[in-house]
Structures are given as C-alpha cells and as structure tokens.
Amino acid sequence: RRQEAQILDRSELSAYFLQGPGAFHFARWNRPLELAILAPSEAMTRSYESSFGAALDRVCTWSGQSWRMQSGARPPNLVFVFVQKWVDLATLSMDLFGPLAIPNLINKMTESGATQFRTFSYGEDGSLASAFGFYNMSSRLRDYPTERIALAQSLLTHANFGLGSLKAPIVTLEGVRWSPSDDFRQVLQAAYSIDTPASLRGDDGASHLYRSYAASRQVVPGPALPADR
C-alpha cells in the first residue's frame, strides 16, 4: 500500500535546490528537450534510449514539457553518458560537452569514488539550457534496472536538484513498474506550476516556490503546517 506523501516544510523543500551552503537556486526547463544517450555499446545505447524515452514520456506528461531524440540539427540539451570507468570519458568527443572540463571531471569523480554526477547550464532567462548526467556502470548502478535509472534521472534533470538533497528514494517499485515517490511528484508539480517562474534565487525565491508547493498541497504556508486531511 502506497504511503501518504508527507508535507514538506519550507526548509525541506528549499534543500532540494541548495547549490551551496544556504544558497537557494531553483531552475527548470522552459524549452523543448532534445535527448542524447552515450553508452559503451550499441545494444546498451538502444536499451537506454528506449528506457529514457518511456521515462520522459511520463515525466513530461506531469511537467507539460516536450522532448525528442537528438536530430543532429542542433546540439542536444539533455545528455546522459554511461561509462565503465571514469577515465573512459576521455575517449568521447569534447564538442558535445561545451565548456565542461572533462579532464577535471575525470579526476574529481575518480578521487571521490562517485557513482554519478549531474551538471546544468542556464539560459539568459535563468531557466535550464542544458543538463548532463554521467554514470559509472562498474559501480552499484550496474545492478539497477534501466527503467529505474531512466525514471530517476529524468526526474532529477527536470530541475536543478542538488546532489546532496535526497534523503529518500525518489522512485519506488509499484508492482512491476517504477514510479516517482509521492513526495517527489509533488515537488515536481510545484516546480512546473503556472505560478512558478523558470528561475528563482535567494530567500524570496524559496518563499515563492514554497507558496506554489503549499497551494498544490492545499495547505497554508507558514512556520507550522496543519495536517493534510
């Protein structure tokens, strides 16, 4: 039985978008998504293209965004890269990653023992311009179903969620299908509310996002929140 989603307070919601100590910065997409998958083999690429396509179909239904596979007419803005070890990133075309310093990323990920990394760039209006996800498949990720990875990462790149903000799984297995947790679905709903700008910063921005979230939960924003009945 699915557990009822908990109501987040303002600090808990803001924690999803802390890009540094106390630095609230929220951004979401305000343009169509163009997906590219890079993986060690053609079979793995096809598998992840299928899984990410199905995941984005679902997530974009909730967010109102649109997406398509990379067409070649312009650079993709949503790129997921799967490697067997971080040094393998050095074999990829640097043109795809723009200003991202891949050699520095290799050193950072190798030294930290990280299993994954996400990074974002921003447009003039502050909305997301691109999102890159990098995944080391010699880590525990190799044991995860592709559907789980695809849904989780499609959610986590739908806004600039901070890596350190996640205290509970954002996807859960319901029968034979992976689905977003109710908590995370409601955060995404607030992020793509018609009342939420594509970019918010600082205390005022955090308060604005919380008002959108509280409205979607039908609660009164404030220091003490009533029970959701």
Side-chain angles (χ1 to χ4, degrees):
R1 183 170 177 262
R2 177 185 286 186
Q3 293 184 342
E4 185 177 357
Q6 300 297 308
I7 299 173
L8 303 178
D9 63 27
R10 183 181 179 278
S11 63
E12 289 172 328
L13 180 64
S14 298
Y16 280 106
F17 303 103
L18 293 180
Q19 308 303 325
F24 177 86
H25 176 204
F26 159 82
R28 61 168 172 80
W29 294 104
N30 198 26
R31 67 200 75 201
L33 309 180
E34 190 153 333
L35 171 68
I37 301 289
L38 300 178
S41 68
E42 184 176 344
M44 189 174 180
T45 299
R46 287 198 303 268
S47 175
Y48 274 103
E49 285 179 345
S50 175
S51 294
F52 271 91
L56 284 170
D57 281 343
R58 295 175 68 192
V59 177
C60 288
T61 296
W62 304 319
S63 68
Q65 288 298 107
S66 62
W67 78 276
R68 65 179 182 179
M69 292 300 301
Q70 179 184 11
S71 65
R74 59 184 179 185
N77 58 8
L78 181 60
V79 181
F80 298 101
V81 182
F82 299 88
V83 294
Q84 294 298 335
K85 49 187 182 298
W86 288 123
V87 71
D88 293 346
L89 291 173
T91 66
L92 303 177
S93 170
M94 296 299 103
D95 293 341
L96 182 63
F97 304 111
L100 190 61
I102 293 298
N104 292 343
L105 176 62
I106 292 172
N107 291 336
K108 178 181 178 181
M109 295 299 98
T110 301
E111 291 172 2
S112 67
T115 63
Q116 59 185 282
F117 176 73
R118 290 183 300 276
T119 187
F120 304 92
S121 69
Y122 303 92
E124 292 183 359
D125 63 350
S127 66
L128 293 182
S130 67
F132 293 89
F134 301 89
Y135 309 93
N136 185 337
M137 300 308 291
S138 65
S139 69
R140 66 178 184 273
L141 295 178
R142 67 177 177 268
D143 298 323
Y144 290 2
T146 58
E147 293 82 3
R148 175 182 178 177
I149 293 174
L151 181 59
Q153 300 308 317
S154 295
L155 290 165
L156 288 170
T157 52
H158 237 61
N160 60 336
F161 291 100
L163 276 172
S165 64
L166 307 177
K167 298 179 176 61
I170 66 166
V171 295
T172 58
L173 188 61
E174 298 178 355
V176 297
R177 192 183 199 194
W178 289 95
S179 295
S181 68
D182 285 342
D183 290 329
F184 201 84
R185 192 197 302 259
Q186 287 159 5
V187 172
L188 188 70
Q189 181 180 353
Y192 281 87
S193 164
I194 192 171
D195 297 321
T196 303
S199 177
L200 293 166
R201 289 179 180 269
D203 288 342
D204 288 345
S207 295
H208 191 127
L209 183 63
Y210 189 72
R211 287 194 295 272
S212 295
Y213 170 80
S216 72
R217 299 287 291 135
Q218 297 183 339
V219 298
V220 178
L225 296 176
D228 182 29
R229 301 186 183 277

